[in-house]
Amino acid sequence: MTITIAHVQILASAHQRRFSGLYDYLVPTHFSLHIGHVVYVPFGAQIVVGVICELTTTPHPTATVKPIIAASTIHISRIQLAFAQWLARYYACHIT
């Protein structure tokens, strides 16, 4: 059985920017998620909002991966996500 891992961009507030980046989360089997979905994930002792930037499948995760808690009805298109990533690279800043 393969499992799906989502690489999630944490949408950090101004005081959390040092934690901004991609983090891996397990996609529960009852979710049908795609790149661009806005999700709620555990991050330390809190629940934060993130955007799925990439999905991969693996037979065995290399580390303990926490699951995605919930999915929002908000979805960012691939074009919008690619544009935001380009802007972040061009201006050397976070995507958030």
Side-chain angles (χ1 to χ4, degrees):
M1 179 175 124
T2 60
I3 57 172
T4 303
I5 302 294
H7 304 289
V8 176
Q9 171 75 49
I10 300 298
L11 301 179
S13 62
H15 69 279
Q16 297 172 319
R17 290 260 161 95
R18 67 178 184 261
F19 299 115
S20 183
L22 288 175
Y23 294 90
D24 293 344
Y25 289 93
L26 175 69
V27 177
T29 55
H30 60 278
F31 283 143
S32 176
L33 299 175
H34 306 285
I35 292 173
H37 266 107
V38 175
V39 292
Y40 297 92
V41 294
F43 195 78
Q46 48 189 323
I47 305 298
V48 296
V49 178
V51 176
I52 296 177
C53 293
E54 185 180 339
L55 292 168
T56 59
T57 57
T58 180
H60 304 288
T62 57
T64 303
V65 182
K66 294 181 180 180
I68 292 172
I69 295 174
S72 172
T73 57
I74 300 169
H75 184 269
I76 298 169
S77 75
R78 286 181 184 255
I79 293 171
Q80 291 169 323
L81 186 58
F83 182 60
Q85 291 169 332
W86 177 84
L87 283 172
R89 282 191 308 275
Y90 185 82
Y91 289 104
C93 63
H94 297 288
I95 199 170
T96 53

